[in-house]
Amino acid sequence: MGTLGRAAYTVGFWIRETGQAMDRLGSRLQGNNFFKEQLSRHRTLMNVYDKAPVVAKDAFVAPSASIIGDVQVGAGSSIWYGCVMRGDVNSISIGSGTNIQDHSLVHVAKSNLPGKVHPTVIGDNVTVGHSAILHGCTVEDEAFVGMKVTLLDGVVVEKHAMVAAGALVRQDARIPTGEVWGGNPAKFLRKLTDKEITFIAESAANYKSLAQAHATKNAEPLDQTEFLKVIQKKANEEKPLIQ
């Protein structure tokens, strides 16, 4: 970030600070008549050094997610509530139509015990289940990573491979196409069926549609949402009691 960029960032920061201060003052003046809002200083997108996230226009990023630094999110992908994508010491690349589900963590490796450097690369139409941890690994197109899976540095999950929920995949392991691995440490369990391979594609498509619905709801103005809550509350209070 150059001198002009830093100056613009600083001005923008103080404008936002001033806006929040004015909002608090206005709320005090309105007293009990204002809509109570929960304001958060959380930032969904944040740059680190000179690296800023690049997110496709039609990707869905939940309000409580954090995308930090050198991260690219492809078209139609979705980053769900509570996720953290931290590309501070290396890069993270997420393809198109991929879903990273709630509370998952994606990080990278600048260095590790073997001295290797690993970005994290996630391909197209990948499903990553809730609370998974992906660290310095590669997940190829149309792979499936189950809930609470941990993928360590150097792991490669090939196309049409599946990692069962709760598995811990050791460093530099490679999960071949068409196989299911599971356990701690993860090992080969069996071959995927044709039905399961079809399910992987369906899962990605279903989450893409679901993300569009969430994006629509999240785009609604907060004052409109709060107003509807107040109207509904008053309507419920005015309903006559059934004797």
Side-chain angles (χ1 to χ4, degrees):
M1 185 184 294
T3 303
L4 183 59
R6 285 196 296 270
Y9 176 86
T10 301
V11 171
F13 173 83
W14 284 113
I15 289 174
R16 295 179 68 185
E17 290 290 313
T18 303
Q20 289 198 20
M22 293 178 67
D23 179 82
R24 290 192 293 270
L25 175 60
S27 296
R28 293 193 192 99
L29 293 174
Q30 288 179 306
N32 295 327
N33 296 317
F34 79 104
F35 289 120
K36 294 183 179 179
E37 302 174 3
Q38 296 296 324
L39 297 180
S40 171
R41 296 177 66 87
H42 170 78
R43 285 187 288 169
T44 301
L45 304 179
M46 189 180 83
N47 62 301
V48 174
Y49 311 119
D50 60 339
K51 302 295 184 181
V54 178
V55 179
K57 290 183 179 180
D58 64 344
F60 169 64
V61 179
S64 58
S66 297
I67 300 181
I68 303 162
D70 191 0
V71 181
Q72 293 190 347
V73 180
S77 288
S78 54
I79 312 299
W80 290 82
Y81 304 94
C83 287
V84 176
M85 316 279 114
R86 182 154 63 91
D88 48 2
V89 295
N90 213 320
S91 64
I92 296 171
S93 175
I94 298 171
S96 301
T98 287
N99 61 92
I100 311 294
Q101 296 174 18
D102 314 70
H103 297 286
S104 291
L105 169 65
V106 181
H107 194 219
V108 291
K110 182 179 181 180
S111 62
N112 51 26
L113 288 176
K116 296 180 180 179
V117 176
H118 292 289
T120 294
V121 180
I122 303 172
D124 299 335
N125 301 315
V126 172
T127 289
V128 176
H130 312 285
S131 300
I133 299 175
L134 281 64
H135 199 278
C137 58
T138 297
V139 182
E140 295 182 354
D141 298 348
E142 296 179 22
F144 188 97
V145 178
M147 294 182 288
K148 294 189 176 181
V149 163
T150 299
L151 305 181
L152 297 180
D153 295 357
V155 166
V156 177
V157 182
E158 294 184 359
K159 183 175 181 177
H160 291 162
M162 179 180 288
V163 187
L168 171 64
V169 185
R170 287 179 170 176
Q171 287 185 346
D172 299 321
R174 190 176 194 94
I175 301 179
T177 296
E179 293 187 0
V180 182
W181 283 41
N184 182 2
K187 59 183 179 181
F188 171 74
L189 298 179
R190 60 176 175 81
K191 290 287 188 177
L192 276 169
T193 65
D194 291 340
K195 186 176 182 179
E196 287 169 332
I197 292 175
T198 301
F199 167 76
I200 293 174
E202 291 174 348
S203 174
N206 289 340
Y207 258 90
K208 185 175 181 180
S209 297
L210 185 60
Q212 292 172 352
H214 279 257
T216 299
K217 293 302 293 183
N218 278 286
E220 291 181 356
L222 181 61
D223 55 352
Q224 176 183 332
T225 304
E226 291 298 317
F227 177 74
L228 292 175
K229 286 181 181 178
V230 171
I231 296 299
Q232 184 62 51
K233 182 179 179 181
K234 289 185 176 180
N236 292 337
E237 291 174 348
E238 293 172 0
K239 286 181 181 179
L241 295 175
I242 300 176
Q243 299 297 329

